[in-house]
Amino acid sequence: PEQLGTIQGDIWTKGFPKYHETYYFFSIKTGKASLFSQRLKVLATQTPPLISSLKKARDDHNFISMEREKYITAEKLKGIPKKEIHPPTVPIANALIAFTSKGLKAIQDDSPSKNLGLLDIEDTDPAFVAGMSSDKVRTTLNDPATKKWDVLFQSTKIHGLLKIAGSSPEMVKERLMRIQVTLKHGEAIEDAAPTDSQVVGWTRPNDRGKEHFGFEDGISQPRMNGIDSPDPAPEPNMNTAQELLIVTDKTASENQDVRRPAWMQNGSFLVFRKLEQDVAAFECLTKKYWAATKCESQEQMGAKLMGRWQSGAPIATFETKDTADPGKAKVMNNFVYGAESPCPVSAHIRKTNIREKLDGNEPDQRCRRTRMIRNGIPYGLDYKGHENDGSTRGLLFACYQGHIEDSFQHMQASWSNEPTFRNADFGHDPIIGQVPDSSEGKPGKLKTSFLGSDKSLQTVEFAPLVTLKGGEYFFVPPISALSTPLGS
Ligand code: N7H
């Protein structure tokens, strides 16, 4: 479909191919929005493009696997054993640009002749307009006070984001620099905060694909009807594109508020959260309680909290131990839960994807509308078993969706944070659940339950393992809108 050329490439099941990623937060300089718009148009029309479409992301994935295959075949012909074949990394960089509502407002205010329809967005997307640091959003999500956030995210001047992904830090750096030069850094844009305005992530070199708690991530993603081919092991619910993208065309949009301005078509909302993970606390929790809570092993308790084993194998299918075949686990998305499922209702992946009927609706609108594309990346050095090692680590969480309130906010607030969701006995999502700070500003405790091997209800109470260090809501426009109306 032709829209592949205008949808930004990270808004896709596979996202940008990456080993390294930089998030750069910028501000449009006061009084310089017209210059910025001119530069944005230049950025949008450059060849080869500096901002990557979905078509480019898809071509890159295909190119990488072709190169890999070629290399492996050639090495095999030389008689090199499979174990010793390590295909080199293909040098690649891709970039996405996104704006906060403040950024859109800065562009609009400087060019009264433009009509971005921001009043309509106030009606349709109030959380986006308010921003993640607003009291309204923070109380909805039980987020910690902004004074506890990283200084960068306390900035009131974040107007835009460049999310740059690539094969190496050098490839990423070079792409970022070229975009900064094009957008006239120093003249039209500047760093969003007086401190370092970049956040850097990487796929952990010793454990690619796994996040810091040790679990394989990026297994379950919605597929977009009309864009992705059906999954060989399909999830029960294929998403229509309009649950993940903005659709302003009345005939196509069954779920969305069509009052959004037409230029937003094929864009998507991006939720960014820097989430610090306390790996020592996670390991300590499962080590201390697995036997007392009648789990078969420490690993099984971890799997009950997550809903998957470290390999990615779902506990719904592999109840007592992990599968020895991680390749098999990876395609293990074809399962549902049901009343007798060994997967606790509170487990992270069950809280965040119901995979069954809610309130008897079929197909379940609520579940489908809550789904999101997740394309985050870990940050920080590996935890090596030394508590207080002076390092912090976690996940640069990024997800795309057609509507923030319906998707991310609903998942976080009404499912993960809500101890009574579906079954009052099972409590919070143990991974990302958030409770409000106490009146003295101390973090509250999470309480989560699951069944032990003898089917008895077991409950653990603990300080949250994941802490928000800041974040923001962005809109990722279609590439066409960077020329007009955002550019000029
Ligand atoms: Fe989660 N983790 O690595 O421990 N997540 N997540 N997440 N998450 C998932 O199925 C993790 C966070 C979802 O369709 C897996 O792809 C961590 C937020 C959704 O079955 C693992 C953090 C939100 C799914 C993790 C974190 C979500 C999912 C299994 C924070 C949204 C898919 C891999 C530091 C509000 C569920 C997989 C499905 C899966 C981890 C955050 C949502 C291992 C560490 C904030 C929708």
Side-chain angles (χ1 to χ4, degrees):
E2 90 194 58
Q3 71 203 113
L4 298 191
T6 194
I7 298 170
Q8 292 199 48
D10 204 41
I11 312 171
W12 178 45
T13 307
K14 289 191 184 166
F16 292 149
K18 65 186 177 216
Y19 290 127
H20 291 265
E21 188 163 56
T22 293
Y23 291 74
Y24 171 64
F25 298 88
F26 66 87
S27 187
I28 301 167
K29 287 184 85 165
T30 313
K32 295 290 178 185
S34 314
L35 175 63
F36 174 76
S37 283
Q38 287 164 24
R39 299 311 303 174
L40 192 61
K41 188 166 184 174
V42 174
L43 177 69
T45 46
Q46 246 164 13
T47 39
L50 292 177
I51 300 295
S52 312
S53 66
L54 204 161
K55 181 173 181 313
K56 164 75 162 58
R58 196 191 247 184
D59 289 349
D60 280 358
H61 276 282
N62 289 340
F63 181 70
I64 291 169
S65 53
M66 251 169 45
E67 290 295 298
R68 231 185 115 80
E69 284 305 308
K70 263 203 302 208
Y71 185 88
I72 293 173
T73 313
E75 294 291 283
K76 272 191 190 153
L77 281 175
K78 288 187 219 156
I80 297 178
K82 207 176 158 198
K83 263 207 244 133
E84 286 167 31
I85 302 178
H86 305 289
T89 315
V90 181
I92 270 177
N94 284 296
L96 168 141
I97 189 165
F99 296 92
T100 59
S101 74
K102 283 193 186 114
L104 296 180
K105 197 164 178 307
I107 294 173
Q108 171 76 78
D109 286 353
D110 215 33
S111 323
S113 59
K114 274 189 203 300
N115 183 4
L116 299 183
L118 299 185
L119 283 176
D120 292 336
I121 308 175
E122 273 177 32
D123 279 349
T124 53
D125 301 280
F128 166 69
V129 173
M132 196 182 282
S133 60
S134 66
D135 287 344
K136 188 164 165 264
V137 168
R138 273 196 323 96
T139 35
T140 305
L141 300 174
N142 292 343
D143 278 351
T146 47
K147 61 173 192 273
K148 294 186 179 175
W149 293 16
D150 289 357
V151 176
L152 166 58
F153 300 107
Q154 294 182 28
S155 164
T156 53
K157 289 188 1 188
I158 299 179
H159 290 155
L161 162 69
L162 292 166
K163 186 179 193 268
I164 322 259
S167 48
S168 68
E170 294 72 31
M171 291 295 294
V172 171
K173 216 181 210 162
E174 196 236 14
R175 175 61 63 94
L176 174 60
M177 224 180 61
R178 283 175 61 193
I179 297 175
Q180 284 177 328
V181 167
T182 309
L183 292 179
K184 292 222 183 287
H185 188 265
E187 211 182 317
I189 62 164
E190 60 188 354
D191 294 358
T195 48
D196 189 1
S197 295
Q198 295 184 21
V199 182
V200 175
W202 62 344
T203 49
R204 299 168 54 225
N206 300 320
D207 228 346
R208 289 249 144 91
K210 290 205 158 63
E211 56 65 58
H212 282 289
F213 291 149
F215 293 81
E216 186 75 26
D217 202 357
I219 303 169
S220 176
Q221 291 277 44
R223 284 175 174 248
M224 283 192 269
N225 220 345
I227 290 177
D228 295 305
S229 49
D231 196 324
E235 293 175 63
N237 42 8
M238 178 106 166
N239 276 68
T240 56
Q242 57 257 45
E243 283 143 359
L244 305 166
L245 298 171
I246 307 297
V247 175
T248 56
D249 168 2
K250 280 192 182 28
T251 52
S253 176
E254 52 172 295
N255 299 323
Q256 277 191 28
D257 198 317
V258 292
R259 284 172 300 161
R260 285 162 171 165
W263 67 267
M264 293 176 88
Q265 168 101 355
N266 288 323
S268 186
F269 287 101
L270 161 59
V271 172
F272 170 77
R273 285 163 84 76
K274 183 179 177 197
L275 296 168
E276 188 172 303
Q277 291 173 250
D278 190 340
V279 182
F282 179 80
E283 288 181 358
C284 182
L285 180 77
T286 48
K287 193 170 176 180
K288 193 163 162 194
Y289 290 111
W290 71 267
T293 54
K294 302 194 161 55
C295 292
E296 313 250 332
S297 61
Q298 185 180 349
E299 291 71 31
Q300 196 201 30
M301 182 175 167
K304 286 188 182 185
L305 301 178
M306 193 66 72
R308 290 189 189 273
W309 296 86
Q310 295 209 341
S311 70
I315 195 167
T317 317
F318 298 88
E319 181 171 358
T320 51
K321 63 178 195 330
D322 203 344
T323 164
D325 182 355
K328 199 170 160 201
K330 261 192 135 159
V331 293
M332 267 309 176
N333 243 337
N334 192 8
F335 64 92
V336 288
Y337 296 113
E340 299 300 318
S341 176
C343 184
V345 172
S346 53
H348 176 56
I349 70 157
R350 196 165 178 188
K351 278 270 194 186
T352 55
N353 186 5
I354 311 302
R355 293 181 192 244
E356 56 193 309
K357 288 186 247 177
L358 267 188
D359 308 325
N361 294 323
E362 178 85 272
D364 200 295
Q365 292 277 334
R366 173 31 68 209
C367 297
R368 284 202 0 231
R369 287 174 71 171
T370 310
R371 295 216 74 194
M372 53 175 62
I373 294 175
R374 295 171 299 122
N375 277 327
I377 195 163
Y379 73 91
L381 300 175
D382 286 359
Y383 174 67
K384 297 258 175 57
H386 309 293
E387 255 180 90
N388 308 320
D389 58 4
S391 242
T392 55
R393 53 191 61 79
L395 182 69
L396 304 177
F397 175 82
C399 71
Y400 302 99
Q401 59 246 279
H403 194 228
I404 293 173
E405 282 89 340
D406 262 0
S407 189
F408 165 72
Q409 283 202 176
H410 191 84
M411 196 180 282
Q412 180 76 53
S414 308
W415 292 356
S416 290
N417 293 357
E418 179 46 63
T420 62
F421 173 56
R422 305 192 61 211
N423 185 328
D425 285 340
F426 285 84
H428 301 108
D429 176 336
I431 306 299
I432 62 160
Q434 296 191 135
V435 284
D437 284 354
S438 72
S439 48
E440 300 92 54
K442 288 223 173 73
K445 287 207 166 159
L446 296 176
K447 208 166 161 178
T448 202
S449 304
F450 49 80
L451 298 185
S453 298
D454 62 354
K455 305 283 175 220
S456 58
L457 189 71
Q458 301 292 332
T459 302
V460 275
E461 205 176 328
F462 53 96
L465 307 165
V466 167
T467 310
L468 179 74
K469 298 312 248 179
E472 190 48 288
Y473 291 155
F474 295 89
F475 179 65
V476 188
I479 293 172
S480 56
L482 301 177
S483 295
T484 180
L486 299 175
S488 52

